Amino acid sequence: MIYDCHLHTCFSGDSDTPVRQQVQRAITLGMEEMCITDHHDYDSCFCEDNFELDIPAYLPALRQIQEEYKGSIRINIGIELGLQNHIAEYLRQFSENYGSSFDYVIGSSHFVDRTDPYYPEYWESHGEKEGLEKFFQVSLERVQKLYWAFDSYGHLDYVVRYAPHGEQYYSYKEYIQWIDPLLKVLIQHGKALECNTGAFKYGMSQPNPCTDILKRYHELGGELITVGSDAHTPEYIGSGFDRCREMLLACGFRYYTVFRGRKACMIPL
Ligand SMILES: [Zn+2]
Ligand SMILES: [Zn+2]
């Protein structure tokens, strides 16, 4: 089974799952490797949950658990870093101070103008089409400005999950003016694109990003695909991975990527 490289534990503000429970589940599924990637969204005080990670507590706790399970599974230490352009200086400092302490850094866009599209208010004030346009526009601006801060770009079109009509009217082609340049920046700087299967639990037929975007990344020369379930509870670890594997193969990929010590390792699909 594909190794899960995007999952959360109780170190994230929106999960109560103990780290060991996530590790046990991955072992039960037969994974030989996994990566824990708890949320760190600096300047997210407008959210109900606290998405800022206590790094000085997180790193030693995970190192201890890594050691504890050494014979059973390789646990990589990752983080899901929230990208916002106005915190570029903070992210620069963060990378300098902690960059080498992690195996893997996911860069994700969760907010737009300090609001969270998870809530209906975002769509009420922007409308569906404009809400999506705005999200892809800021995503591109962030990747252009902050590509050095991460290894893989997380769940590119996940905001579609929260749009009033979900994926019903969504087509990548309508947002190509932002998505294509974003993919090109990733490829130019040797950055991976994440295929996130969390979409399936929202009843979506496609992962995030959708297969049209995965295909386009491949067509443009992109080779680095990371895979993650975004599980916040054990039952979702590895969920949808068989389907995801078939989809990646159909898009032309033969390998997926895991990061160890911030270095890309290719694993056959
Ligand atoms: Zn995320
Ligand atoms: Zn996540």
Side-chain angles (χ1 to χ4, degrees), residues 54-231:
D54 181 357
I55 315 272
Y58 182 65
L59 287 170
L62 289 198
R63 281 193 197 115
Q64 194 195 323
I65 292 173
Q66 192 178 46
E67 195 56 29
E68 204 177 300
Y69 284 92
K70 215 163 64 183
S72 317
I73 188 167
R74 180 190 170 107
I75 302 172
N76 294 319
I77 301 177
I79 189 166
E80 182 179 14
L81 204 54
L83 307 177
Q84 299 186 81
N85 277 2
H86 72 276
I87 62 163
E89 195 38 52
Y90 171 82
L91 294 173
R92 176 73 69 192
Q93 279 299 320
F94 176 89
S95 298
E96 274 175 36
N97 295 340
Y98 297 112
S100 58
S101 305
F102 289 98
D103 287 294
Y104 176 44
V105 179
I106 301 174
S108 293
S109 289
H110 292 125
F111 311 123
V112 177
D113 296 338
R114 304 184 83 243
T115 57
D116 189 346
Y118 174 79
Y119 296 107
E121 292 77 34
Y122 174 82
W123 305 97
E124 280 156 19
S125 67
H126 290 88
E128 185 153 3
K129 183 85 196 302
E130 271 175 42
L132 289 170
E133 283 175 2
K134 183 85 192 151
F135 181 82
F136 289 123
Q137 185 197 329
V138 301
S139 299
L140 168 61
E141 289 164 2
R142 288 168 185 170
V143 170
Q144 284 170 330
K145 186 167 176 167
L146 304 170
Y147 62 84
W148 42 263
F150 60 85
D151 303 309
S152 184
Y153 189 64
H155 52 56
L156 196 159
D157 63 5
Y158 97 127
V159 76
V160 174
R161 290 176 201 176
Y162 309 126
H165 292 90
E167 63 183 354
Q168 201 177 344
Y169 303 116
Y170 165 65
S171 153
Y172 138 74
K173 292 259 155 34
E174 289 184 43
Y175 308 95
I176 202 164
Q177 71 182 99
W178 299 288
I179 296 175
D180 267 19
L182 186 159
L183 296 176
K184 286 176 189 166
V185 176
L186 294 180
I187 294 164
Q188 183 191 344
H189 295 287
K191 300 295 169 181
L193 178 67
E194 181 192 60
C195 180
N196 185 303
T197 63
F200 297 143
K201 78 165 178 260
Y202 286 83
M204 292 172 69
S205 63
Q206 299 269 315
N208 299 117
C210 62
T211 48
D212 282 346
I213 297 178
L214 293 166
K215 249 181 241 162
R216 184 68 177 141
Y217 175 75
H218 183 259
E219 204 174 274
L220 291 168
E223 293 175 338
L224 307 177
I225 291 286
T226 60
V227 181
S229 66
D230 221 338

